């Protein structure tokens, strides 16, 4: 009888172990399924918009900062040094890579101040401009062949697409000069008195070099002014507050924005037709900004929304492609936590640096292969 009790006890114990094991295993499978479902939810949200994450090597001490298209199959990626504390020693790295084979080639490493601006010169070289200098990059070997120092005391500058003229701003005002320097021409003198304050900023050459656009800030409404290289005024346009403005590639139109609702203003996207002296304003939603040059009639802009700020603790940001000719637009990304840099390629590809849902606030590079087909136009 005692032997039978032992057998029953052992059998019961074995069944309990098996049952507990199955329960643990079942819970593990449920956890795995849950994780997969969460992951699938993330992937589908990105895939729905055709976003593909690009695996760019992690470089110790540096963080993704800016991205530019070289052509439809290759990019320049700029990284910031996270360890720099002294502004004068602020180091950046510039890498070149193709998209078919991600093998970053170091183009430049060293001090580089300010927000960058990349343009392709008429001879095919790339020009990467900062606050105090520009790097001229040869596109066969992707090496820096010239460092162009901006005039002493200047804190903003733009070099024309033929590489022969420079417009720059210093404490005295806005100047235009040749490269190399000959005799600077003062186009706009800065005014800083108790009664009146006016300062030029943001000089930008049209691609043909025949028109210079600059902005004027002060105690009067903000405005853009369009002049010939010798200073003859063509047109001007006033707008409430502003984001950066950009030339279209036709040398006739310019686009800018009024930032929007968190500044107590109506968000507007304004296309300025300089030749015809006309402005076309389109009312938008949220907080809007433009950080890259348009292509043909298409403007890529960033929309930031505050409607989920209390819930999420941050704004939500997404990219929208606006056809200025048809007055139609298309949302081309899901909501990101933060989008830092974005660029539109000639065929309609888009590259961006952003944080989609990373809790550590790390950035990634994303590509959109077919945001829009420009071939039909």
């Amino acid at each position: 009888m005692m032997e039978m009790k032992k057998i029953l006890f052992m059998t019961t114990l074995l069944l309990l172990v098996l049952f507990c094991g199955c329960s643990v295993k079942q819970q593990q499978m449920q956890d795995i399924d849950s994780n997969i479902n969460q992951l699938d939810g993330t992937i589908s949200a990105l895939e729905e918009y055709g976003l593909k994450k690009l695996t760019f090597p992690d470089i110790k001490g540096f963080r993704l900062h800016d991205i530019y298209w070289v052509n439809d199959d290759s990019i320049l990626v700029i990284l910031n040094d996270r360890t720099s504390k002294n502004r004068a020693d602020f180091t950046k790295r510039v890498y070149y890579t193709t998209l078919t084979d991600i093998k970053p080639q170091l183009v430049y490493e060293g001090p580089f101040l300010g927000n960058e601006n990349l343009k392709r010169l008429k001879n095919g070289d790339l020009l990467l401009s900062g606050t105090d200098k520009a790097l001229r990059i040869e596109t066969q070997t992707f090496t820096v062949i010239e460092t162009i120092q901006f005039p002493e005391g200047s804190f903003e500058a733009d070099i024309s697409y033929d590489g022969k003229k420079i417009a720059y701003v210093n404490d005295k005002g806005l100047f235009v000069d040749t490269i190399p320097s000959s005799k600077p021409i003062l186009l706009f003198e800065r005014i800083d008195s108790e009664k009146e304050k006016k300062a030029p900023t943001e000089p930008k050459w049209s691609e043909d070099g025949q028109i210079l656009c600059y902005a004027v800030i002060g105690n009067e409404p903000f405005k853009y002014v369009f002049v010939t290289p010798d200073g003859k005024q063509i047109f001007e346009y006033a707008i409430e507050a502003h984001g950066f403005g950009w030339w279209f590639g036709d040398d006739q139109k310019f686009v800018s924005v009024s930032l929007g609702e968190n500044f107590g203003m109506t968000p507007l996207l304004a296309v300025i037709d300089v030749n015809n002296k006309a402005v076309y304003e389109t009312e938008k939603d949220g907080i809007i900004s433009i950080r890259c040059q348009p292509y043909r009639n298409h403007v890529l802009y960033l929309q930031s929304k505050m409607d989920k700020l209390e819930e999420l603790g941050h704004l939500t940001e997404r990219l929208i492609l606006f056809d200025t000719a048809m007055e139609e637009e298309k949302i081309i990304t899901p909501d990101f936590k933060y989008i830092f840099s974005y660029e539109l390629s000639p065929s309609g590809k888009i590259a961006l640096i952003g944080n989609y849902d990373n809790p550590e606030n790390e950035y990634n590079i994303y590509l959109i292969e077919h945001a829009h087909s420009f071939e039909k136009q």
Side-chain angles (χ1 to χ4, degrees):
M1 187 70 176
M2 180 66 72
E3 192 68 29
M4 180 63 68
K5 286 183 178 180
K6 286 182 179 179
I7 292 171
L8 287 171
F9 175 76
M10 293 300 294
T11 303
T12 303
L13 184 62
L14 180 60
L15 289 171
L16 283 170
V17 170
L18 289 172
F19 176 78
C20 290
C22 289
S23 298
V24 170
K25 186 69 174 177
Q26 185 177 14
Q27 183 62 47
Q28 288 175 339
M29 292 302 294
Q30 288 175 350
D31 290 343
I32 291 172
D33 288 342
S34 175
N35 289 337
I36 289 174
N37 289 336
Q38 289 175 11
L39 182 62
D40 282 346
T42 299
I43 290 175
S44 63
L46 294 173
E47 285 184 343
E48 180 183 350
Y49 290 89
L51 270 77
K52 174 184 176 184
K53 186 187 291 187
L54 183 68
T55 303
F56 193 85
D58 184 31
I59 299 173
K60 187 177 180 181
F62 284 82
R63 185 176 193 168
L64 291 168
H65 176 69
D66 252 329
I67 191 166
Y68 296 98
W69 288 101
V70 174
N71 53 46
D72 275 341
D73 300 310
S74 59
I75 54 176
L76 284 185
V77 180
I78 299 175
L79 286 77
N80 276 350
D81 184 359
R82 292 180 171 183
T83 63
S84 294
K85 296 182 179 179
N86 183 353
R87 186 172 183 270
D89 298 329
F90 194 75
T91 300
K92 292 186 180 181
R93 285 188 181 182
V94 181
Y95 287 93
Y96 163 79
T97 185
T98 63
L99 297 179
T100 52
D101 188 14
I102 307 295
K103 293 180 179 178
Q105 172 189 332
L106 183 62
V107 177
Y108 171 82
E109 180 177 11
F112 203 87
L113 302 179
N115 293 320
E116 310 85 12
N117 179 36
L118 184 76
K119 65 173 62 174
R120 185 180 291 275
L121 300 178
K122 290 188 179 297
N123 69 353
D125 293 341
L126 299 177
L127 191 73
L128 184 67
S129 300
T131 299
D132 61 341
K133 63 187 172 188
L135 306 176
R136 189 170 172 177
I137 302 168
E138 190 268 330
T139 55
Q140 294 299 315
T141 60
F142 285 93
T143 55
V144 176
I145 57 174
E146 184 182 8
T147 300
I148 304 171
Q149 293 293 150
F150 295 155
E152 186 176 356
S154 64
F155 42 82
E156 285 182 280
D158 190 44
I159 293 174
S160 60
Y161 283 82
D162 61 6
K164 296 179 179 180
K165 297 188 293 289
I166 182 171
Y168 62 92
V169 178
N170 60 24
D171 288 335
K172 294 182 179 180
L174 171 66
F175 292 83
V176 168
D177 198 359
T178 57
I179 299 177
S181 178
S182 56
K183 186 178 180 181
I185 301 172
L186 177 62
L187 291 190
F188 189 97
E189 185 174 7
R190 181 172 180 167
I191 301 172
D192 191 11
S193 65
E194 290 185 8
K195 293 184 178 180
E196 188 177 17
K197 295 185 184 297
K198 289 183 180 180
T201 184
E202 294 182 31
K204 277 189 172 69
W205 291 103
S206 61
E207 287 193 22
D208 63 5
Q210 298 304 305
I211 305 175
L212 177 67
C213 173
Y214 64 91
V216 178
I217 56 176
N219 50 11
E220 293 182 358
F222 175 93
K223 65 180 179 181
Y224 283 109
V225 181
F226 300 86
V227 299
T228 60
D230 60 1
K232 182 180 178 182
Q233 184 168 314
I234 302 170
F235 187 59
E236 68 176 46
Y237 166 70
I239 185 171
E240 284 188 313
H242 74 292
F244 292 108
W246 300 89
W247 281 101
F248 285 78
D250 60 6
D251 298 318
Q252 298 178 12
K253 297 191 297 293
F254 192 86
V255 64
S256 187
V257 295
S258 173
L259 295 176
E261 57 190 27
N262 71 326
F263 295 91
M265 301 172 184
T266 302
L268 293 175
L269 188 149
V271 175
I272 306 165
D273 187 336
V274 181
N275 278 9
N276 294 311
K277 298 178 173 59
V279 179
Y280 306 94
E281 295 180 340
T282 307
E283 187 172 330
K284 300 299 180 184
D285 188 29
I287 307 160
I288 62 175
S289 59
I290 303 173
R291 300 179 190 171
C292 67
Q293 186 174 12
Y295 181 72
R296 294 187 181 172
N297 292 319
H298 292 78
V299 175
L300 181 64
Y301 73 89
L302 179 72
Q303 181 191 61
S304 303
K305 299 279 285 182
M306 302 178 66
D307 51 356
K308 295 182 180 179
L309 180 60
E310 187 174 342
E311 174 190 349
L312 301 176
H314 59 81
L315 301 178
T316 55
E317 299 191 330
R318 59 189 179 184
L319 292 177
I320 299 177
L321 193 62
F322 177 55
D323 186 330
T324 61
M326 303 298 294
E327 296 189 0
E328 297 175 349
E329 63 181 35
K330 174 184 177 183
I331 299 170
I332 59 170
T333 68
D335 288 345
F336 273 67
K337 288 180 68 175
Y338 191 60
I339 296 176
F340 196 79
S341 175
Y342 51 90
E343 185 82 359
L344 181 63
S345 85
S347 72
K349 294 180 181 179
I350 290 170
L352 66 100
I353 293 174
N355 176 6
Y356 179 63
D357 59 359
N358 189 314
E360 302 299 324
N361 288 324
E362 292 295 329
Y363 300 146
N364 291 292
I365 298 175
Y366 296 88
L367 301 178
I368 306 174
E369 291 285 343
H370 304 290
H372 196 286
S373 174
F374 296 129
E375 300 302 322
K376 299 176 183 178
Q377 299 181 26

